[in-house]
Amino acid sequence: MKLSARKVETAGTGRHGDGRGLFLYVKPTGARSWVLRYQVQGRRHDLGLGAYPDVTLAMARDKATEARRLILAGDDPIAKRRQSQPKTFKDAALELIENKRSGWKNAKHAAQWTSTLEAYVFPSLGTMQVTKIATADVIGALKPIWSQKPETANRVRQRIEAVLDYASALGIREGDNPARWRGHLDNLLPKPTKVRAVKHHPALPHADIADFMNALSSRSGVSARALTFTILTAARSGETRGMTWAEVDLANGVWTIPAQRMKAAKEHRVPLAPAAIAQLGPRGRDTDLIFGSETKAGKPISDMSMTALLRRMDYNDITVHGFRSTFRDWAGETTSFPREVIEAALAHGIKDKAEAAYARSDLFEKRRDLMATWAQVTTPETLGENVIALS
């Protein structure tokens, strides 16, 4: 069954074996190439050995023999080849971003990864081979921002760690990850939370919420309805903006946010008070966005539309996300609702693993009472006057 030089030259389209896993592949175009098929740890691999006629039959057999020696010695020829081909940190990082892009819920993640690495890592580590990056190199990249921008610096560290883990998974890097925090960099750098207090989203004091809502009720338009709804439900702005009618059960007053739209990737049910339902407008088709753009059909309002409304109202020192803190402070300081009910209303995960293991209920009915009380506190008599009536 072995090939001959004449057979290699004249073989038709298809795969032609020379024995012991060596094959000549002939494409319909006539292009010919050599492949060695082999198994390592039960997995089949195809190792390209080059194109004919640059690689002759004799040369292909020699390459196949060398690869078989590596396999007998317990090595993987493909992994060895990768290790012999230097890859820079930047190359590995960009590959990782592309590989992860389809799995990210938000397209902004790829842009954030790229921008932070370009700003803080590529200048020092970008051209270095991933095989040679050591602890001192990682610290050198992090130190300039560790004290000035601790939150950003920690994200950068995590991304460096992920890139180096990716290189290890490819088989082009060996040894411990020099960007690992626990048991490594935590001995060399201060904790980010100790460097500077975490900066929270600026929030409205809960004592001022009624006055704010009264001012908001005089505003009309999609952004005003969306902001009012977001506050009444203590939701994240992205959850509101992407909301469709398929997620709303008007009869039972329930908004069910699917897992893929939640930060924790877990389905979340939100009890809707009448004041919140009043912001939804007339019922549309299941696929219709409830808070759709008034200028771009089929698109949600922009992520800045509610912030722009706050600025037009002369609230320049608070954020939309900060209203979740307003709600949390109000509930914790002025009500007797248990902490776990308040945290569940905010869709916060339980950090204590033992406690989380026993938390089977989403405390929905207790949360309904909590959100009804919040609506009473935040709803002025004028709320809804500018809202289209439900059909």
Side-chain angles (χ1 to χ4, degrees), residues 100 130 150 159 180 212 231 257 268 308 354:
K100 292 172 73 71
V130 287
R159 289 164 186 171
R180 188 183 76 250
F212 173 84
I231 294 170
I257 312 174
H268 180 56

Side-chain angles (χ1 to χ4, degrees), residues 227-362:
L227 180 56
T228 302
F229 181 86
T230 300
I231 294 170
L232 289 171
T233 55
R236 298 178 177 89
S237 62
E239 295 159 6
T240 296
R241 292 187 299 105
M243 184 182 185
T244 64
W245 280 109
E247 299 173 4
V248 182
D249 179 355
L250 285 175
N252 295 299
V254 181
W255 171 28
T256 303
I257 312 174
Q260 62 267 28
R261 292 213 308 109
M262 291 297 298
K263 182 178 181 180
K266 182 179 179 181
E267 183 182 275
H268 180 56
R269 295 191 302 162
V270 181
L272 298 177
I277 293 175
Q279 308 308 309
L280 302 181
R283 173 98 199 189
R285 297 171 299 179
D286 280 356
T287 56
D288 288 346
L289 288 163
I290 294 176
F291 300 105
S293 171
E294 296 176 303
T295 58
K296 298 180 181 179
K299 298 290 185 180
I301 58 174
S302 75
D303 57 356
M304 285 301 295
S305 59
M306 287 184 272
T307 300
L309 175 59
L310 288 175
R311 302 299 174 256
R312 291 195 298 273
M313 295 173 65
D314 292 328
Y315 284 90
N316 299 309
D317 54 349
I318 61 174
T319 66
V320 176
H321 195 86
F323 284 104
R324 286 168 55 85
S325 296
T326 302
F327 167 79
R328 181 64 181 85
D329 293 343
W330 164 81
E333 294 176 12
T334 70
T335 79
S336 58
F337 286 96
R339 179 185 64 84
E340 59 268 25
V341 175
I342 300 169
E343 293 298 302
L346 291 164
H348 283 166
I350 301 174
K351 294 183 179 180
D352 184 277
K353 292 183 179 180
E355 183 181 353
Y358 291 96
R360 300 287 184 241
S361 170
D362 65 358

Side-chain angles (χ1 to χ4, degrees), residues 17-290:
D18 188 58
R20 299 182 66 194
L22 177 61
F23 292 93
L24 173 72
Y25 282 79
V26 182
K27 294 183 178 180
T29 60
R32 299 157 197 271
S33 59
W34 299 102
V35 172
L36 177 66
R37 178 163 290 182
Y38 66 96
Q39 283 194 346
V40 171
Q41 296 180 346
R43 294 186 62 185
R44 192 182 75 188
H45 302 271
D46 288 340
L47 174 66
L49 300 179
Y52 177 85
D54 293 337
V55 177
T56 65
L57 173 60
M59 292 167 65
R61 286 172 175 167
D62 288 343
K63 289 188 175 193
T65 298
E66 181 59 32
R68 293 188 193 105
R69 289 196 189 101
L70 290 173
I71 296 168
L72 287 173
D75 291 324
D76 183 343
I78 292 178
K80 280 286 187 182
R81 176 181 291 179
R82 285 173 176 164
Q83 291 171 354
S84 66
Q85 296 173 342
K87 190 186 292 289
T88 67
F89 180 91
K90 183 175 182 178
D91 291 337
L94 296 180
E95 281 183 15
L96 174 60
I97 291 169
E98 284 305 310
N99 290 344
K100 292 172 73 71
R101 188 185 297 273
S102 61
W104 277 323
K105 292 189 297 183
N106 193 326
K108 290 183 178 180
H109 287 328
Q112 291 169 347
W113 268 65
T114 304
S115 63
T116 54
L117 291 176
E118 285 180 344
Y120 307 117
V121 183
F122 290 167
S124 58
L125 302 184
T127 58
M128 290 187 65
Q129 294 182 24
V130 287
T131 57
K132 297 182 178 180
I133 292 176
T135 301
D137 302 311
V138 175
I139 292 179
L142 294 175
K143 266 199 169 181
I145 58 172
W146 197 258
S147 298
Q148 298 299 319
K149 304 176 180 179
E151 289 184 68
T152 299
N154 192 44
R155 291 193 188 98
V156 169
R157 182 204 62 77
Q158 292 169 348
R159 289 164 186 171
I160 295 173
E161 182 180 17
V163 173
L164 297 180
D165 278 343
Y166 171 71
S168 296
L170 289 178
I172 59 176
R173 181 182 170 85
E174 297 179 350
D176 292 337
N177 193 319
R180 188 183 76 250
W181 177 253
R182 183 171 296 180
H184 186 55
L185 290 185
D186 61 349
N187 296 310
L188 303 172
L189 293 170
K191 289 181 66 174
T193 53
K194 298 293 185 182
V195 173
R196 188 173 63 190
V198 176
K199 183 179 180 181
H200 296 287
H201 293 275
L204 184 78
H206 66 80
D208 298 335
I209 188 63
D211 289 340
F212 173 84
M213 294 298 280
N214 190 57
L216 178 59
S217 69
S218 66
R219 300 280 173 157
S220 59
V222 178
S223 296
R225 291 194 293 115
L227 180 56
T228 302
F229 181 86
T230 300
I231 294 170
L232 289 171
T233 55
R236 298 178 177 89
S237 62
E239 295 159 6
T240 296
R241 292 187 299 105
M243 184 182 185
T244 64
W245 280 109
E247 299 173 4
V248 182
D249 179 355
L250 285 175
N252 295 299
V254 181
W255 171 28
T256 303
I257 312 174
Q260 62 267 28
R261 292 213 308 109
M262 291 297 298
K263 182 178 181 180
K266 182 179 179 181
E267 183 182 275
H268 180 56
R269 295 191 302 162
V270 181
L272 298 177
I277 293 175
Q279 308 308 309
L280 302 181
R283 173 98 199 189
R285 297 171 299 179
D286 280 356
T287 56
D288 288 346
L289 288 163
I290 294 176

